[in-house]
Amino acid sequence: MELLTIEEMTRADSLAVEAGHEVRDLMERAGEAVARRTDSMARPRSRIAVVCGPGNNGGDGFVAARKLADRGHAVEVIALADPNGMEGAAGQAAADWTGTVKVGASGLAADLVVDAMFGAGLSRPLEGEPAKLVELVNQAGAPVVAVDVPSGLNGDTGAAEGPVVQASSTVTFFREKPGHLLYPGRALCGETVVAQIGIPPEVLAIIEPRFHVNNPDAWGDAIPLPAAVAHKYDRGHAVVFSGPAHSTGAARLAARGALRIGAGLVTVACPEDAVAVVAAHLTAIMVDPYAGPGGVAGVLADERRNAFAIGPGFGVGQETVGAVEELLASNAAVVLDADALTSFESQPGRLFARIGDRQAATVLTPHEGEFARLFDLEGSKLERALRAAEISGAVVVLKGPDTVVADPIGRALITDNAPPWLATAGSGDVLTGFITGVMAQGTQAFEAAGASVWLHGEAAREVGPGLIAEDLPEAVSDILRSRTDAFGPTHKSGRSGS
């Protein structure tokens, strides 16, 4: 589940060598893993072109070429440069190859291609002869297996800063890198396979990775299991603020999400003119009318209400700014989404100052457009989310097909389970409700956000094509039922009741 940056992976390799593992042995296992994956995609006696660079990535390629030839395939090695100039373990791997080597980008015809030109450590756009070889590989019309990452891809950011190989599958080693999950890298990698090549997992305790794939291994038992004698208030009381009568749907979706994810009670707080509309659509969810921004204090008066969401369908403007600031002055967990974020577009520092003044958890859930209104940041999605969390003092959920959850101390989760049919109106509102409902149960903000994003994706996968946002709260109960590892210790026991 850990994601290693290029620097961290280099250190893992060094620690493995210090522990007595020979570089040559690691390379041999890496090449075998590539050959095994390639062979599984090839027909018997296929024509396979292995394109090798001058470094260790090329060394992996030479090992793979030898092992593919041993499996009966017709293997041609194309090298970027004379392999006699390769050194160390890579030079030995090249010397062990007894077949012919063609140097340079003079043509490529094969049933399948192995891209072993450059690994994740490449830090510049490809040009010249390497760029020509990338073009040849992409134009070959054959499936491509990339070694570590597709050549030209930035392994830390997933960025394509120049010509990049389009792989059908990528074989990486020990752990994935952020670039395998972040777009466009994820699409360029095809299906990524992680091969264990003998690096001892104990090195992770020394490296202490800060980034992880967002799955139950990362956030563990984030959702408390209800105790047999627990009261509904032991499971928390989530409140979602609604906008006026003509825009209550988003808040109702969020409220349904909070209830389905396990909050003991959920209330929609709405303007008085919206009560009839909201109440007509809700049953188990309560309705609390309030009169304008000044009425927020009344909603906050019941201290058992311990998690609030505001923004979906609420409206943009100074009244929203005032309502958000009142919520942030409370001791409750707060999730800010949509209009609550956009309302601070011209004064983001004001929002960050209010967040910095509080002890309770705050979560921001922007999509890319909302993110750009608050943060003037460049870099990869991971870099921007981390910097935004540091600047704002909040847990930031930067949404998309590769949603990143980042916290102010530099941890991050990258999500890989979001299907394309989540791109539908209202799905983000349900996610806001999920996060609010999990935090209402006492889960820390980072873990609550990670668990909610993952469950959101799993629920969408469960429904499949044709998904609408209303399906998500209903589907998440099926996911929770099948994933007992999502549940942690029981809620604090309270008096019995419902």
Side-chain angles (χ1 to χ4, degrees):
M1 69 172 180
E2 300 88 356
L3 294 170
L4 298 186
T5 64
I6 297 166
E7 181 180 354
E8 289 169 338
M9 188 63 212
T10 300
R11 192 177 181 204
D13 286 333
S14 298
L15 289 169
V17 172
E18 290 174 16
H21 297 267
E22 296 288 340
V23 175
R24 173 63 177 154
D25 293 337
L26 297 175
M27 186 171 289
E28 190 74 12
R29 297 186 193 110
E32 168 59 30
V34 173
R36 189 166 55 247
R37 178 60 174 169
T38 305
D39 184 57
S40 74
M41 297 170 58
R43 295 178 178 177
R45 312 187 75 80
S46 289
R47 296 175 304 155
I48 299 177
V50 182
V51 187
C52 295
N56 283 349
N57 200 252
D60 296 339
F62 273 104
V63 173
R66 171 165 47 86
K67 292 181 177 291
L68 286 166
D70 290 344
R71 286 168 164 86
H73 297 292
V75 181
E76 177 185 49
V77 171
I78 301 172
L80 278 172
D82 186 347
N84 291 321
M86 298 173 70
E87 300 178 346
Q92 184 60 54
D96 289 344
W97 169 247
T98 58
T100 60
V101 177
K102 183 169 68 175
V103 178
S106 59
L108 192 157
D111 301 315
L112 198 145
V113 179
V114 175
D115 163 30
M117 284 184 280
F118 298 99
L122 187 73
S123 58
R124 65 186 187 282
L126 294 178
E127 54 188 22
E129 196 72 8
K132 292 178 184 177
L133 260 177
V134 168
E135 185 178 357
L136 278 176
V137 169
N138 287 340
Q139 292 177 350
V144 178
V145 177
V147 179
D148 192 19
V149 298
S151 292
L153 184 71
N154 186 311
D156 278 345
T157 68
E161 298 165 346
V164 180
V165 167
Q166 173 63 69
S168 309
S169 182
T170 295
V171 180
T172 194
F173 312 111
F174 186 51
R175 292 295 186 273
E176 287 180 292
K177 299 171 183 66
H180 290 119
L181 273 68
L182 295 168
Y183 280 97
R186 191 192 303 179
L188 290 164
C189 287
E191 181 182 359
T192 298
V193 175
V194 181
Q196 300 308 319
I197 58 173
I199 298 174
E202 290 78 15
V203 304
L204 295 170
I206 301 171
I207 295 170
E208 297 182 334
R210 296 178 298 126
F211 311 143
H212 293 77
V213 181
N214 185 17
N215 61 35
D217 289 335
W219 37 263
D221 46 11
I223 303 172
L225 185 69
V229 294
H231 188 267
K232 60 192 175 188
Y233 279 103
D234 293 327
R235 301 178 66 186
H237 188 164
V239 178
V240 179
F241 279 84
S242 170
H246 66 274
S247 60
T248 65
R252 288 187 280 109
L253 283 168
R256 185 75 173 179
L259 189 65
R260 276 294 188 188
I261 207 93
L265 302 92
V266 178
T267 293
V268 172
C270 63
E272 292 175 340
D273 70 344
V275 169
V277 175
V278 174
H281 288 85
L282 302 178
T283 305
I285 297 168
M286 297 176 287
V287 181
D288 185 5
Y290 69 95
V296 172
V299 178
L300 287 165
D302 186 344
E303 294 184 357
R304 294 175 298 182
R305 295 174 169 178
N306 63 331
F308 292 82
I310 186 169
F314 193 75
V316 175
Q318 284 305 305
E319 289 189 355
T320 303
V321 168
V324 168
E325 290 184 328
E326 273 206 79
L327 286 176
L328 293 177
S330 75
N331 294 320
V334 175
V335 181
L336 304 179
D337 185 26
D339 295 345
L341 302 174
T342 300
S343 293
F344 285 89
E345 179 177 9
S346 63
Q347 48 191 343
R350 177 174 175 177
L351 173 63
F352 305 153
R354 300 298 182 272
I355 295 171
D357 289 340
R358 71 194 319 257
Q359 297 297 315
T362 309
V363 178
L364 311 181
T365 60
H367 55 56
E368 287 284 5
E370 293 158 349
F371 185 91
R373 293 175 196 134
L374 288 180
F375 302 99
D376 183 16
L377 296 173
E378 296 181 351
S380 72
K381 188 168 189 173
L382 175 60
E383 292 166 331
R384 290 183 291 116
L386 286 164
R387 182 69 180 129
E390 181 184 12
I391 292 170
S392 67
V395 170
V396 172
V397 179
L398 181 49
K399 296 184 291 192
D402 51 356
T403 294
V404 175
V405 180
D407 73 0
I409 63 173
R411 296 181 298 171
L413 304 172
I414 305 177
T415 306
D416 67 350
N417 72 332
W421 36 89
L422 263 178
T424 185
S427 66
D429 303 320
V430 176
L431 176 60
T432 293
F434 282 177
I435 298 170
T436 308
V438 176
M439 287 206 297
Q441 298 172 71
T443 302
Q444 296 296 309
F446 181 70
E447 288 76 13
S452 297
V453 169
W454 185 84
L455 289 165
H456 190 246
E458 289 299 294
R461 288 156 66 100
E462 177 78 10
V463 176
L467 166 79
I468 59 173
E470 286 93 328
D471 297 329
L472 292 167
E474 313 317 308
V476 81
S477 61
D478 293 333
I479 305 303
L480 290 171
R481 189 180 305 114
S482 66
R483 297 296 307 221
T484 55
D485 55 0
F487 290 99
T490 58
H491 290 273
K492 180 180 178 183
S493 297
R495 58 189 177 89
S496 61
S498 60

